[in-house]
PDB file of all heavy atoms in Angstrom:
ATOM      1  N   ASP B 102      -1.874  16.555  -8.262  1.00 97.00           N
ATOM      2  CA  ASP B 102      -1.947  17.363  -9.485  1.00 97.00           C
ATOM      3  C   ASP B 102      -3.337  17.245 -10.124  1.00 97.00           C
ATOM      4  O   ASP B 102      -3.496  16.829 -11.278  1.00 97.00           O
ATOM      5  CB  ASP B 102      -0.864  16.908 -10.465  1.00 97.00           C
ATOM      6  CG  ASP B 102      -0.759  17.796 -11.692  1.00 97.00           C
ATOM      7  OD1 ASP B 102      -1.150  18.975 -11.610  1.00 97.00           O
ATOM      8  OD2 ASP B 102      -0.310  17.296 -12.746  1.00 97.00           O
ATOM      9  N   THR B 103      -4.344  17.608  -9.363  1.00 97.00           N
ATOM     10  CA  THR B 103      -5.728  17.434  -9.806  1.00 97.00           C
ATOM     11  C   THR B 103      -6.003  18.224 -11.078  1.00 97.00           C
ATOM     12  O   THR B 103      -5.624  19.392 -11.204  1.00 97.00           O
ATOM     13  CB  THR B 103      -6.693  17.886  -8.697  1.00 97.00           C
ATOM     14  OG1 THR B 103      -6.304  17.306  -7.458  1.00 97.00           O
ATOM     15  CG2 THR B 103      -8.113  17.445  -9.023  1.00 97.00           C
ATOM     16  N   GLN B 104      -6.678  17.562 -12.014  1.00 97.00           N
ATOM     17  CA  GLN B 104      -7.013  18.157 -13.302  1.00 97.00           C
ATOM     18  C   GLN B 104      -8.519  18.344 -13.424  1.00 97.00           C
ATOM     19  O   GLN B 104      -9.298  17.700 -12.714  1.00 97.00           O
ATOM     20  CB  GLN B 104      -6.498  17.260 -14.431  1.00 97.00           C
ATOM     21  CG  GLN B 104      -5.000  16.991 -14.391  1.00 97.00           C
ATOM     22  CD  GLN B 104      -4.193  18.268 -14.541  1.00 97.00           C
ATOM     23  OE1 GLN B 104      -4.390  19.031 -15.487  1.00 97.00           O
ATOM     24  NE2 GLN B 104      -3.284  18.516 -13.596  1.00 97.00           N
ATOM     25  N   THR B 105      -8.931  19.176 -14.381  1.00 95.00           N
ATOM     26  CA  THR B 105     -10.369  19.397 -14.561  1.00 95.00           C
ATOM     27  C   THR B 105     -11.075  18.092 -14.935  1.00 95.00           C
ATOM     28  O   THR B 105     -12.241  17.897 -14.609  1.00 95.00           O
ATOM     29  CB  THR B 105     -10.629  20.458 -15.640  1.00 95.00           C
ATOM     30  OG1 THR B 105      -9.952  20.080 -16.840  1.00 95.00           O
ATOM     31  CG2 THR B 105     -10.118  21.824 -15.196  1.00 95.00           C
ATOM     32  N   GLY B 106     -10.378  17.195 -15.595  1.00 94.00           N
ATOM     33  CA  GLY B 106     -10.964  15.893 -15.935  1.00 94.00           C
ATOM     34  C   GLY B 106     -11.213  15.000 -14.743  1.00 94.00           C
ATOM     35  O   GLY B 106     -11.886  13.967 -14.859  1.00 94.00           O
ATOM     36  N   ASP B 107     -10.684  15.389 -13.589  1.00 96.00           N
ATOM     37  CA  ASP B 107     -10.934  14.622 -12.368  1.00 96.00           C
ATOM     38  C   ASP B 107     -12.263  15.008 -11.719  1.00 96.00           C
ATOM     39  O   ASP B 107     -12.687  14.362 -10.762  1.00 96.00           O
ATOM     40  CB  ASP B 107      -9.803  14.850 -11.359  1.00 96.00           C
ATOM     41  CG  ASP B 107      -8.470  14.303 -11.842  1.00 96.00           C
ATOM     42  OD1 ASP B 107      -8.467  13.238 -12.503  1.00 96.00           O
ATOM     43  OD2 ASP B 107      -7.432  14.937 -11.575  1.00 96.00           O
ATOM     44  N   SER B 108     -12.897  16.054 -12.225  1.00 96.00           N
ATOM     45  CA  SER B 108     -14.195  16.465 -11.680  1.00 96.00           C
ATOM     46  C   SER B 108     -15.197  15.341 -11.873  1.00 96.00           C
ATOM     47  O   SER B 108     -15.449  14.892 -12.996  1.00 96.00           O
ATOM     48  CB  SER B 108     -14.693  17.733 -12.380  1.00 96.00           C
ATOM     49  OG  SER B 108     -13.860  18.828 -12.100  1.00 96.00           O
ATOM     50  N   ALA B 109     -15.755  14.867 -10.772  1.00 96.00           N
ATOM     51  CA  ALA B 109     -16.656  13.704 -10.801  1.00 96.00           C
ATOM     52  C   ALA B 109     -17.153  13.479  -9.383  1.00 96.00           C
ATOM     53  O   ALA B 109     -16.803  14.216  -8.457  1.00 96.00           O
ATOM     54  CB  ALA B 109     -15.930  12.459 -11.306  1.00 96.00           C
ATOM     55  N   ILE B 110     -17.960  12.443  -9.231  1.00 95.00           N
ATOM     56  CA  ILE B 110     -18.351  12.000  -7.891  1.00 95.00           C
ATOM     57  C   ILE B 110     -17.530  10.759  -7.561  1.00 95.00           C
ATOM     58  O   ILE B 110     -17.426   9.838  -8.384  1.00 95.00           O
ATOM     59  CB  ILE B 110     -19.850  11.679  -7.822  1.00 95.00           C
ATOM     60  CG1 ILE B 110     -20.677  12.899  -8.209  1.00 95.00           C
ATOM     61  CG2 ILE B 110     -20.222  11.234  -6.397  1.00 95.00           C
ATOM     62  CD1 ILE B 110     -22.176  12.631  -8.256  1.00 95.00           C
ATOM     63  N   TYR B 111     -16.968  10.727  -6.372  1.00 97.00           N
ATOM     64  CA  TYR B 111     -16.131   9.617  -5.939  1.00 97.00           C
ATOM     65  C   TYR B 111     -16.825   8.888  -4.795  1.00 97.00           C
ATOM     66  O   TYR B 111     -17.220   9.489  -3.794  1.00 97.00           O
ATOM     67  CB  TYR B 111     -14.757  10.130  -5.500  1.00 97.00           C
ATOM     68  CG  TYR B 111     -13.955  10.668  -6.660  1.00 97.00           C
ATOM     69  CD1 TYR B 111     -14.166  11.963  -7.120  1.00 97.00           C
ATOM     70  CD2 TYR B 111     -13.006   9.880  -7.304  1.00 97.00           C
ATOM     71  CE1 TYR B 111     -13.459  12.455  -8.205  1.00 97.00           C
ATOM     72  CE2 TYR B 111     -12.292  10.367  -8.380  1.00 97.00           C
ATOM     73  CZ  TYR B 111     -12.520  11.649  -8.825  1.00 97.00           C
ATOM     74  OH  TYR B 111     -11.822  12.135  -9.897  1.00 97.00           O
ATOM     75  N   PHE B 112     -16.945   7.579  -4.955  1.00 95.00           N
ATOM     76  CA  PHE B 112     -17.610   6.749  -3.951  1.00 95.00           C
ATOM     77  C   PHE B 112     -16.610   5.789  -3.334  1.00 95.00           C
ATOM     78  O   PHE B 112     -15.851   5.135  -4.050  1.00 95.00           O
ATOM     79  CB  PHE B 112     -18.713   5.894  -4.583  1.00 95.00           C
ATOM     80  CG  PHE B 112     -19.888   6.675  -5.103  1.00 95.00           C
ATOM     81  CD1 PHE B 112     -19.908   7.160  -6.399  1.00 95.00           C
ATOM     82  CD2 PHE B 112     -20.977   6.913  -4.281  1.00 95.00           C
ATOM     83  CE1 PHE B 112     -21.000   7.870  -6.882  1.00 95.00           C
ATOM     84  CE2 PHE B 112     -22.081   7.619  -4.754  1.00 95.00           C
ATOM     85  CZ  PHE B 112     -22.085   8.098  -6.058  1.00 95.00           C
ATOM     86  N   CYS B 113     -16.619   5.687  -2.021  1.00 94.00           N
ATOM     87  CA  CYS B 113     -15.931   4.563  -1.407  1.00 94.00           C
ATOM     88  C   CYS B 113     -16.955   3.454  -1.182  1.00 94.00           C
ATOM     89  O   CYS B 113     -18.163   3.718  -1.063  1.00 94.00           O
ATOM     90  CB  CYS B 113     -15.219   4.940  -0.119  1.00 94.00           C
ATOM     91  SG  CYS B 113     -16.273   5.394   1.249  1.00 94.00           S
ATOM     92  N   ALA B 114     -16.493   2.215  -1.157  1.00 90.00           N
ATOM     93  CA  ALA B 114     -17.388   1.069  -1.018  1.00 90.00           C
ATOM     94  C   ALA B 114     -16.667  -0.029  -0.256  1.00 90.00           C
ATOM     95  O   ALA B 114     -15.482  -0.276  -0.475  1.00 90.00           O
ATOM     96  CB  ALA B 114     -17.840   0.565  -2.385  1.00 90.00           C
ATOM     97  N   VAL B 115     -17.411  -0.687   0.629  1.00 86.00           N
ATOM     98  CA  VAL B 115     -16.853  -1.796   1.396  1.00 86.00           C
ATOM     99  C   VAL B 115     -17.840  -2.951   1.354  1.00 86.00           C
ATOM    100  O   VAL B 115     -19.052  -2.737   1.265  1.00 86.00           O
ATOM    101  CB  VAL B 115     -16.568  -1.391   2.859  1.00 86.00           C
ATOM    102  CG1 VAL B 115     -15.612  -0.219   2.908  1.00 86.00           C
ATOM    103  CG2 VAL B 115     -17.856  -1.054   3.597  1.00 86.00           C
ATOM    104  N   PRO B 116     -17.343  -4.189   1.406  1.00 79.00           N
ATOM    105  CA  PRO B 116     -18.264  -5.328   1.435  1.00 79.00           C
ATOM    106  C   PRO B 116     -19.025  -5.355   2.750  1.00 79.00           C
ATOM    107  O   PRO B 116     -18.492  -5.066   3.805  1.00 79.00           O
ATOM    108  CB  PRO B 116     -17.342  -6.540   1.302  1.00 79.00           C
ATOM    109  CG  PRO B 116     -16.070  -6.008   0.742  1.00 79.00           C
ATOM    110  CD  PRO B 116     -15.945  -4.625   1.298  1.00 79.00           C
ATOM    111  N   ARG B 117     -20.286  -5.727   2.660  1.00 73.00           N
ATOM    112  CA  ARG B 117     -21.087  -5.909   3.865  1.00 73.00           C
ATOM    113  C   ARG B 117     -20.518  -7.072   4.654  1.00 73.00           C
ATOM    114  O   ARG B 117     -20.196  -8.105   4.112  1.00 73.00           O
ATOM    115  CB  ARG B 117     -22.534  -6.189   3.484  1.00 73.00           C
ATOM    116  CG  ARG B 117     -23.490  -6.204   4.650  1.00 73.00           C
ATOM    117  CD  ARG B 117     -24.875  -6.624   4.198  1.00 73.00           C
ATOM    118  NE  ARG B 117     -25.550  -5.614   3.413  1.00 73.00           N
ATOM    119  CZ  ARG B 117     -26.241  -4.610   3.912  1.00 73.00           C
ATOM    120  NH1 ARG B 117     -26.346  -4.462   5.212  1.00 73.00           N
ATOM    121  NH2 ARG B 117     -26.833  -3.753   3.117  1.00 73.00           N
ATOM    122  N   SER B 118     -20.439  -6.914   5.944  1.00 65.00           N
ATOM    123  CA  SER B 118     -19.706  -7.881   6.758  1.00 65.00           C
ATOM    124  C   SER B 118     -20.301  -9.280   6.698  1.00 65.00           C
ATOM    125  O   SER B 118     -19.592 -10.259   6.570  1.00 65.00           O
ATOM    126  CB  SER B 118     -19.661  -7.426   8.211  1.00 65.00           C
ATOM    127  OG  SER B 118     -20.982  -7.319   8.726  1.00 65.00           O
TER     128      SER B 118
END
Side-chain angles (χ1 to χ4, degrees):
Chain B
D102 187 24
T103 312
Q104 302 298 307
T105 54
D107 294 324
S108 294
I110 302 176
Y111 292 82
F112 293 89
C113 67
V115 302
R117 188 186 288 275
S118 61

